[in-house]
Amino acid sequence: MLKIVRSCRVPVLVLAALASTALARPVAAQTSLQPANWDSGMTLRLPEDLNPDPRILEINMEARLAEVEVEPGLRVKAWTYDGGLPGPLIRAKVGDRLIVHFTNRLQEPTTIHWHGVRVPIEMDGVPGISQDEVKQGESFTYDFELRDAGLYWYHPHVMSAAQVGFGLYGALQVDDPDDGVGVADSLTLVLSDIGFDKRGDLEPADSGGPAGMVFGREGQHVLVNGRRKPVLTVRSGAPQRWRIVNTAKSRFFLIDMDGQPITTIGTDGGLQERPTTEGTVLVTSGERVDVIVTPTGTPGSTLIVRAMLYNRGYGSVQYRDVEELFTIKFTNEPTLPKKPLPTIARTLTPVPAAGATRVPVVLTLPPQGPDGKSEFRVNGVPFWEAKPFLAKLGEVQLWEINNDTDWDHPFHLHGFFFMALDEKDQPIRPMAWKDTINIPMKTKARILIDFNERPGEWMFHCHILDHAEGGLMGTVQVGPPSGKSHTHRTGGE
Ligand SMILES: [Cu+2]
């Protein structure tokens, strides 16, 4: 037993070694160090659990139009899950079963895709490939097990650039009570943006034409848990865990807390091998990060958390300003003395790369045609002309993805985690399970995927959703085809 006395004014944090795991991970008796209602400016709604079984979370959810206030007096007629922006925070424990009775009250067809979750193919939410569209007034029940701890999210896979941009997204958090992180004060942060005019009418999904598609449209209002510039009230020197998802359809967030250290402990597929500490953390579209921060400042003062400029292509840093995300307001209590964080580590077992099938993937953007149209291509073809990649069930593949465009592409694979490799086929350290990896302009990424289960046709695409709809999309058929013939339609990703 290891005892850490935090200070004479706060309870003693007792850490016990877990005997059953290879790495002795401490389990903390957690006590909040924050004032009451410290996070009331940015809490997320929770859905009502209809099922008495503690291992089953069963909820109803509706997609519908709703007027939403993103700051006092500033309203937008958004597309929402259950009337809010973002949708409810679906929160369960690892191993739980999730049942979502979904009804579409929109005038357009939609679906729900569960980003990053190892769902059966029938639950993956891609119309024409894994399920039928849910049309206006129709319902569909999603039902699957939450096998992996981590922060995931959900959004439509029909006209996704439009529907996500209009407000259809929410977080799905799968907790591991034994993760040993030992930080009591935790926030889930859904970062997004939305574009609308003075009347609250949404910016059209095709604004800017082909140039808008090539850039990746960003809404002018940056939102944190659906609010503009909310406020957190915190005690200086108290550690916090932030679980962050970027649900914006194009915008990247390079998060800065006035240069104060940000310790990343996990990413898409839960905790990473070991923490890393830097002055900023980048979260590209679709990605998640799990970080520990200890905001520190003079009692009574404020600290602004910002999104700094990050160059993901022409126009993303020119004539642009940093964005304020939220304000940290320090209470008048004295700063807590610095204490070391518990050892946060995870044993990850990489799949051997030797013998993996090499799959070249080249991303291009040919010059505009005479008709002014632009299209992104994967191995020479846009999505609507592409044939599925093939993988045998149990085959390990090494995708060597060459981004030969002048734009970054956060590359997302449905249904499977992968690991990023270096040029020598070794995992990039610290190791982490990813489902979305940013491939900066004119660079390459190498990812190792074990197609060891769940045969079916799985999507991959850029998570700048305008790029996806502009052609940067494809599928991989894992195992034999189901026999159902599929028609790939434009915009039906
Ligand atoms: Cu892209």
Side-chain angles (χ1 to χ4, degrees):
M1 295 286 266
L2 170 67
K3 286 185 178 182
I4 298 175
V5 181
R6 280 185 174 268
S7 86
C8 56
R9 293 195 56 210
V10 296
V12 174
L13 184 70
V14 182
L15 305 172
L18 256 187
S20 60
T21 52
L23 269 169
R25 292 192 308 192
V27 175
Q30 300 179 8
T31 308
S32 174
L33 300 172
Q34 301 298 352
N37 303 320
W38 68 290
D39 59 351
S40 60
M42 54 167 84
T43 45
L44 293 166
R45 295 165 306 129
L46 295 172
E48 185 193 353
D49 185 1
L50 307 169
N51 196 306
D53 186 329
R55 301 312 308 269
I56 302 176
L57 176 58
E58 183 168 4
I59 65 174
N60 289 324
M61 198 151 74
E62 270 186 12
R64 60 182 156 95
L65 301 180
E67 197 170 71
V68 177
E69 194 165 55
V70 296
E71 100 177 26
L74 189 61
R75 293 175 154 267
V76 52
K77 295 159 200 152
W79 295 27
T80 73
Y81 290 117
D82 284 355
L85 193 65
L89 170 62
I90 301 175
R91 192 168 181 184
K93 290 194 182 66
V94 64
D96 286 358
R97 179 177 164 195
L98 175 65
I99 304 171
V100 179
H101 303 288
F102 173 67
T103 302
N104 179 10
R105 304 273 177 221
L106 301 165
Q107 289 178 0
E108 299 285 339
T110 191
T111 59
I112 303 180
H113 165 64
W114 307 91
H115 182 120
V117 183
R118 293 197 291 166
V119 292
I121 188 71
E122 307 79 40
M123 298 289 133
D124 199 45
V126 181
I129 292 180
S130 50
Q131 74 163 102
D132 293 331
E133 291 177 335
V134 184
K135 297 194 172 67
Q136 180 180 15
E138 290 182 352
S139 296
F140 186 88
T141 294
Y142 293 92
D143 183 345
F144 50 88
E145 189 191 338
L146 299 166
R147 298 164 59 187
D148 304 285
L151 181 63
Y152 306 95
W153 63 295
Y154 57 92
H155 64 80
H157 236 284
V158 178
M159 297 163 56
S160 61
Q163 296 199 0
V164 172
F166 292 165
L168 288 171
Y169 46 81
L172 165 57
Q173 185 168 320
V174 183
D175 292 312
D176 176 2
D178 299 323
D179 66 9
V181 174
V183 175
D185 296 306
S186 175
L187 290 175
T188 306
L189 300 177
V190 180
L191 306 182
S192 64
D193 62 20
I194 192 163
F196 57 91
D197 64 17
K198 287 191 178 107
R199 289 173 307 183
D201 290 326
L202 290 162
E203 185 181 344
D206 60 354
S207 69
M213 184 284 288
V214 168
F215 177 61
R217 300 170 179 97
E218 299 184 359
Q220 85 269 39
H221 297 295
V222 170
L223 304 179
V224 179
N225 291 356
R227 284 98 152 169
R228 272 170 51 80
K229 303 180 188 176
V231 177
L232 268 187
T233 306
V234 316
R235 175 141 188 206
S236 172
Q240 304 175 29
R241 181 180 186 182
W242 294 350
R243 313 192 63 169
I244 305 170
V245 53
N246 180 352
T247 68
K249 67 172 175 171
S250 300
R251 187 185 290 269
F252 289 9
F253 290 93
L254 177 62
I255 300 169
D256 164 84
M257 196 173 65
D258 214 13
Q260 294 193 20
I262 299 175
T263 298
T264 301
I265 61 171
T267 171
D268 301 343
L271 296 180
Q272 60 192 35
E273 183 181 17
R274 57 174 167 75
T276 51
T277 299
E278 302 201 57
T280 56
V281 64
L282 177 67
V283 201
T284 71
S285 310
E287 275 190 307
R288 287 85 68 205
V289 291
D290 189 349
V291 303
I292 296 177
V293 292
T294 307
T296 303
T298 311
S301 70
T302 57
L303 176 63
I304 309 288
V305 177
R306 295 185 174 89
M308 309 306 280
L309 295 178
Y310 173 86
N311 184 13
R312 65 170 183 81
Y314 181 77
S316 54
V317 295
Q318 292 80 3
Y319 320 112
R320 299 284 290 267
D321 283 321
V322 298
E323 294 277 352
E324 289 187 17
L325 296 176
F326 58 95
T327 299
I328 292 174
K329 196 168 177 296
F330 294 111
T331 64
N332 289 320
E333 298 165 288
T335 298
L336 287 165
K338 228 182 167 64
K339 295 288 172 193
L341 295 169
T343 306
I344 298 160
R346 178 178 176 195
T347 305
L348 283 87
T349 310
V351 181
T357 309
R358 315 249 152 176
V359 178
V361 184
V362 182
L363 313 179
T364 52
L365 176 67
Q368 272 186 346
D371 53 0
K373 284 201 173 135
S374 292
E375 63 186 28
F376 283 98
R377 294 179 183 174
V378 180
N379 291 353
V381 286
F383 175 63
W384 45 91
E385 293 172 19
K387 291 198 174 65
F389 289 20
L390 300 175
K392 294 187 196 79
L393 190 63
E395 184 174 356
V396 176
Q397 295 193 343
L398 201 176
W399 290 18
E400 300 178 291
I401 311 168
N402 178 2
N403 175 3
D404 195 26
T405 76
D406 292 321
W407 305 87
D408 283 21
H409 300 296
F411 190 91
H412 171 50
L413 173 66
H414 286 207
F416 295 85
F417 294 119
F418 54 77
M419 211 173 257
L421 301 186
D422 65 17
E423 288 293 331
K424 292 177 179 156
D425 290 357
Q426 296 304 305
I428 291 173
R429 312 300 283 265
M431 288 188 281
W433 291 120
K434 297 286 291 170
D435 56 59
T436 308
I437 184 172
N438 189 46
I439 310 174
M441 58 190 90
K442 299 288 185 191
T443 67
K444 294 173 188 169
R446 311 174 80 244
I447 63 173
L448 190 67
I449 315 154
D450 186 1
F451 291 108
N452 59 343
E453 55 172 21
R454 290 169 299 124
E457 189 177 353
W458 298 92
M459 300 285 313
F460 58 84
H461 59 90
C462 178
H463 228 288
I464 292 178
L465 294 172
D466 287 309
H467 290 181
E469 294 199 352
L472 213 168
M473 217 164 15
T475 66
V476 53
Q477 173 67 49
V478 179
S482 64
K484 244 163 86 178
S485 77
H486 299 308
T487 323
H488 292 170
R489 282 157 303 150
T490 308
E493 101 300 359

